Amino acid sequence: VFTIARYCGENRGRVISSKNNNWLFGFNNGSIEAFYAGTWLSMGRESTEEDWQLQSAVVDLDSDTFDTWNNGNVVSEGKISDEMKLTVIGMLSVGGWRKSGEHEHVSSGSDCEIARVLVYNDALGDHLRRHVEMRLGMMYSISGIAVSQYIDWSKSLGESIRNHPNIARTSA
């Protein structure tokens, strides 16, 4: 999962979450870098920033591992135990969170903007994840990623880029 989003006002609840599972991605209760998928992967850090955040996570159910990033920097990583394994996001909710039938006071809505949400059905490897992050960073001017850095990174893959046709196709 990759998102480009930001808080932009006083209401700072969830921004990207699930309507039918207790799952949230990136933003929660005034914090950025917050990730919850059946259990806390990262409780996040309180922030008054209104800058765009490029947040990403890879959950590999085959190896029972997870990794989360904010603007290309590792936020959390670890193993997923059977009791904490949430295998589906559920119905994606953007802009806040409230289960249907609940009263307004239970809501966790946000003043926010969301530019992009990408959800892949497979766990991306490090090279492909980095490729997506760098391309999104350049597209939305996040993390100071310059085209020259991306080209240098692509060249650093050398011959191994042949093992990554999705990167090779778009990095030329």
Side-chain angles (χ1 to χ4, degrees):
V1 178
F2 296 84
T3 65
I4 307 264
R6 68 179 176 175
Y7 284 131
C8 60
E10 291 182 23
N11 294 323
R12 292 173 172 259
R14 294 183 183 190
V15 173
I16 299 161
S17 60
S18 173
K19 187 172 181 167
N20 58 331
N21 282 329
N22 196 5
W23 178 90
L24 65 90
F25 194 85
F27 299 85
N28 183 52
N29 199 28
S31 293
I32 59 174
E33 301 177 356
F35 300 94
Y36 188 93
T39 191
W40 284 105
L41 306 179
S42 169
M43 294 186 76
R45 64 176 173 85
E46 195 170 320
S47 175
T48 58
E49 292 177 35
E50 293 191 357
D51 296 335
W52 289 102
Q53 304 295 315
L54 166 53
Q55 300 192 75
S56 57
V58 174
V59 175
D60 188 340
L61 295 175
D62 292 333
S63 65
D64 292 331
T65 59
F66 70 88
D67 298 279
T68 65
W69 296 267
N70 185 50
N71 295 334
N73 300 309
V74 173
V75 172
S76 62
E77 56 191 356
K79 295 287 278 178
I80 302 171
S81 63
D82 285 339
E83 59 271 1
M84 69 187 262
K85 192 179 286 187
L86 186 60
T87 58
V88 294
I89 294 170
M91 295 169 37
L92 198 62
S93 174
V94 294
W97 177 76
R98 185 172 60 141
K99 291 174 101 175
S100 43
E102 289 185 339
H103 298 288
E104 196 64 35
H105 70 278
V106 181
S107 177
S108 179
S110 293
D111 296 329
C112 61
E113 294 179 323
I114 302 165
R116 177 85 45 121
V117 176
L118 300 171
V119 180
Y120 290 84
N121 63 352
D122 289 318
L124 301 186
D126 284 339
H127 289 305
L128 190 51
R129 177 202 50 85
R130 186 70 182 133
H131 165 71
V132 173
E133 281 179 348
M134 290 181 89
R135 296 286 294 194
L136 289 171
M138 287 185 309
M139 188 181 303
Y140 291 95
S141 300
I142 297 173
S143 301
I145 304 276
V147 173
S148 60
Q149 288 175 292
Y150 178 75
I151 291 169
D152 290 345
W153 173 79
S154 297
K155 287 179 182 177
S156 76
L157 294 177
E159 286 299 309
S160 72
I161 200 164
R162 294 179 195 277
N163 298 328
H164 306 282
N166 291 332
I167 296 172
R169 238 189 330 271
T170 59
S171 62

